[in-house]
Amino acid sequence: MNNYWGAHTSIQGGVTASIPLAEKLGFLAMQIFTKNNNRWFAPPLKEEDAAKFKEELKKTGIKFVMAHDSYLINLGAPSDEMFNKSVDAMVDELQRCEVLGIPQLNFHPGAHLGEGEEFGVRRIASALDIIHDRTADFKVKSMIELTAGQGSAIGYKFEHARDIISLVREPERMSVCIDTAHIFAAGYDIKDPEKYETVILDFDRIIGLDRLQAFHFNDSKKPLGSRVDRHENIGDGFIGLEGFRNLLNDKRLLHIPKILETPKVKNNSKTLKISQDSEA
Ligand code: ZN
Ligand code: MN
Ligand code: MN
C-alpha cells in the first residue's frame, strides 16, 4: 500500500463542493469541516445533500475522508454550562459525520482552564461517555487529536490519550490522530532519526499503533518543546524535511492517511484555495 495523501479542503458552497476540489488536486484522502468551524451549531444536513456527498465521493479516487470538529468545543471545560454546550455540539458533529458516512471525527480533547490535568482527563472522558450514549450504534469514531499543549490544553502527552481511552466505557469508538506540528511542539522529537524511533515506540507502548488512524502533516513554526501551535509549510519549519522523511519512510505508518493543514499556498503563478476555511 502507498502513502495516501490529501489536505484539509474547503466546503465553501456546501460539503459536496469539497469533492471536485480534492479530486482536482489528486487527493486520495481529505479532511473537511461539516459546518462553519467557528459556530456552535448549524442547521441539520439535508438528506439529499448527504446522499449527493456520498454519491459524488464514490465516483472519485478519494479513499478516506475525516472531519474536524468546531474550535469552540471544550469537553474539558470546568463550567457545566460550557461542558454541556460542548457535549451537545459534539453530538451534533457526530450526527453530521454519520449521515455523510464519514468514519472519523477528529476533535481537540479540551482544556482544563486551571483545574489541573487529571481533572481535564476525567472531564473529557465523562463527556465522551455522555456523547457516545447519545449516539449509540454510530459507526463514526471519536478521534483524539494530540495537541501542542498550548495553555491548559490536554493531549500533549501520549499518556493523556491513553488515560482518556482507558476511562471511556466504549474504547472501541476511540482513535487517535498525530498532528506532527503539535507533537513536535509538545516535545516529541521526530526530526532526529534515533529519537524518532523512540517516539514511535513510545506511542505504540503507551497508546498502541492500531489506534493511530490519521496524521495531520504540518511543519512547526515553533521549536521542539515550545508548546506553541503554529503550522508551517512542510520543510520550512523546525521539523524540516528530515523529520517528514522519517515518517514517510516508516513502513509501519504507510497505511495511515496523511492530511496537510499547512497555511494556504501562495506563489506568483497560482493560488491554491485548498485550506480556505482551515488551519486546524
Ligand atoms: Zn485540529
Ligand atoms: Mn491538526
Ligand atoms: Mn494546530
Side-chain angles (χ1 to χ4, degrees):
M1 200 184 285
N2 291 317
N3 272 305
Y4 57 115
W5 276 99
H8 187 95
T9 306
S10 173
I11 56 158
Q12 270 184 28
V15 281
T16 305
S18 61
I19 295 172
L21 190 54
E23 173 85 327
K24 198 170 88 187
L25 295 164
F27 295 170
L28 300 177
M30 71 168 174
Q31 174 175 275
I32 59 170
F33 296 121
T34 66
K35 53 182 254 299
N36 183 326
N37 63 308
N38 289 312
R39 297 262 174 90
W40 281 102
F41 296 100
L45 286 159
K46 293 195 197 107
E47 222 163 277
E48 68 250 41
D49 290 342
K52 180 107 173 121
F53 179 86
K54 290 194 266 193
E55 194 184 305
E56 292 299 313
L57 191 63
K58 254 188 247 159
K59 298 180 195 159
T60 71
I62 302 163
K63 305 269 188 287
F64 175 82
V65 182
M66 62 189 281
H68 193 298
D69 77 329
S70 163
Y71 295 149
L72 302 173
I73 293 175
N74 180 9
L75 302 179
S79 117
D80 286 338
E81 193 192 340
M82 190 56 76
F83 178 85
N84 291 331
K85 197 168 181 183
S86 296
V87 165
D88 290 345
M90 177 112 168
V91 167
D92 183 56
E93 298 265 4
L94 285 171
Q95 276 162 346
R96 300 174 84 80
C97 289
E98 196 72 6
V99 295
L100 293 168
I102 294 176
Q104 302 276 356
L105 174 67
N106 178 89
F107 71 101
H108 295 186
H112 62 75
L113 306 176
E115 293 294 314
E117 291 183 355
E118 203 189 319
F119 170 91
V121 163
R122 291 187 176 281
R123 190 77 160 157
I124 293 160
S126 72
L128 288 162
D129 279 341
I130 300 167
I131 290 160
H132 290 160
D133 282 349
R134 285 172 56 187
T135 57
D137 304 323
F138 276 30
K139 291 193 190 77
V140 55
K141 284 190 183 169
S142 302
M143 173 178 268
I144 298 175
E145 179 172 4
L146 299 179
T147 67
Q150 205 164 280
S152 64
I154 299 290
Y156 68 92
K157 286 183 181 161
F158 295 162
E159 286 82 357
H160 294 164
R162 174 198 66 192
D163 292 347
I164 292 167
I165 292 168
S166 72
L167 283 167
V168 297
R169 283 194 302 270
E170 295 180 81
E172 65 280 11
R173 294 184 61 172
M174 304 297 301
S175 58
V176 174
C177 172
I178 287 183
D179 183 310
T180 54
H182 295 179
I183 69 162
F184 187 78
Y188 292 101
D189 188 352
I190 50 174
K191 184 187 180 100
D192 176 274
E194 275 169 37
K195 289 179 185 150
Y196 167 82
E197 189 56 27
T198 308
V199 170
I200 299 301
L201 292 175
D202 281 351
F203 185 100
D204 193 30
R205 179 174 49 82
I206 297 167
I207 300 176
L209 276 176
D210 53 332
R211 291 270 180 206
L212 180 60
Q213 293 174 11
F215 274 99
H216 286 164
F217 257 36
N218 304 302
D219 210 329
S220 178
K221 256 193 181 83
K222 299 288 173 182
L224 180 71
S226 60
R227 303 269 299 268
V228 179
D229 178 7
R230 292 282 180 283
H231 301 183
E232 179 56 280
N233 288 313
I234 305 293
D236 292 343
F238 282 92
I239 300 174
L241 292 180
E242 307 94 297
F244 291 97
R245 200 170 286 136
N246 294 332
L247 289 156
L248 288 173
N249 287 324
D250 191 333
K251 291 200 170 60
R252 295 165 293 189
L253 310 178
L254 216 50
H255 62 290
I256 302 170
K258 298 167 180 85
I259 304 284
L260 292 162
E261 296 179 315
T262 48
K264 275 176 281 181
V265 177
K266 278 194 189 130
N267 62 36
N268 296 333
S269 55
K270 55 188 167 200
T271 300
L272 295 180
K273 274 177 72 181
I274 302 172
S275 318
Q276 185 70 1
D277 57 5
S278 115
E279 163 132 11

